[in-house]
Amino acid sequence: MNYLISLKKLKGRVYLTSNLWYGLEYQCITAYLIDNDWKLNKRIISFRLVELSYIGYLLGIEIRNVLYEWALQNKIFTISLDNGIYYNQTVSHLKSTLELLVDSDLFHIRCCAYILNLIVKEAMHVYLTSVLVIKKMQLLLFYLLLFEFRNLDK
């Protein structure tokens, strides 16, 4: 309860991250803040079981409720979420219900790890496609050489 009281007295802003664990259906909301002594703090403010239907607007309501529980509704600077399409509705709901310090276009920061994961997956797809083409060319060359070798015997 001490930490909740100190959050209410906080003069700065809070940066949030929210992650969904799809296999387990849990949502984790983490708050990052610089306290009055200029120390960076990281706190998990919510770790809850959610239904998979909690996508988009409903997820926004869930995040907003957690912010009200911790008295952070007017202290949010930015939030980092995955790039899923359903997060657009989440962000729209939060923008319309929270007091934002920054321009609403800067409020949602896309998760860099998620973006990097997408880039690597695409690169691996291109790489594996190229490897398959090379393997097919090797096989074709092997059969051509084998054919030529058999024709030399005749």
Side-chain angles (χ1 to χ4, degrees):
M1 197 63 168
N2 263 346
Y3 199 72
L4 180 58
I5 292 169
S6 68
L7 280 178
K8 287 183 180 181
K9 294 179 183 178
L10 179 71
K11 295 177 184 171
R13 295 290 176 150
V14 177
Y15 166 72
L16 290 179
T17 61
S18 176
N19 297 311
L20 285 176
W21 297 358
Y22 295 103
L24 303 173
E25 301 176 17
Y26 282 96
Q27 177 195 29
C28 180
I29 300 174
T30 308
Y32 298 85
L33 59 116
I34 297 176
D35 64 15
N36 296 333
D37 296 325
W38 289 94
K39 292 183 182 171
L40 180 63
N41 291 275
K42 172 185 167 183
R43 297 287 185 267
I44 294 175
I45 59 173
S46 176
F47 188 81
R48 298 179 182 184
L49 181 67
V50 295
E51 295 182 30
L52 286 178
S53 62
Y54 269 53
I55 300 176
Y57 179 76
L58 294 174
L59 197 56
I61 291 172
E62 185 71 24
I63 294 172
R64 186 201 63 205
N65 291 342
V66 169
L67 295 177
Y68 275 93
E69 286 174 24
W70 284 89
L72 294 173
Q73 67 274 8
N74 59 352
K75 297 180 181 181
I76 301 303
F77 185 65
T78 57
I79 187 168
S80 179
L81 302 167
D82 287 347
N83 291 344
I85 293 172
Y86 48 87
Y87 277 121
N88 293 339
Q89 292 176 340
T90 302
V91 171
S92 294
H93 176 72
L94 292 173
K95 284 179 183 179
S96 66
T97 58
L98 298 176
E99 244 180 76
L100 300 179
L101 175 68
V102 296
D103 181 13
S104 63
D105 291 338
L106 302 174
F107 174 66
H108 178 207
I109 298 174
R110 310 251 182 222
C111 178
C112 293
Y114 184 79
I115 294 171
L116 184 60
N117 186 22
L118 292 175
I119 292 169
V120 169
K121 281 183 179 179
E122 183 62 29
M124 290 302 293
H125 175 72
V126 170
Y127 171 76
L128 291 176
T129 303
S130 300
V131 167
L132 286 175
V133 168
I134 291 170
K135 295 269 186 195
K136 286 180 181 178
M137 293 299 290
Q138 285 177 333
L139 191 60
L140 180 64
L141 185 60
F142 173 76
Y143 283 122
L144 284 174
L145 288 173
L146 186 63
F147 181 76
E148 285 295 320
F149 182 73
R150 286 187 179 173
N151 283 341
L152 286 177
D153 288 343
K154 292 181 181 180

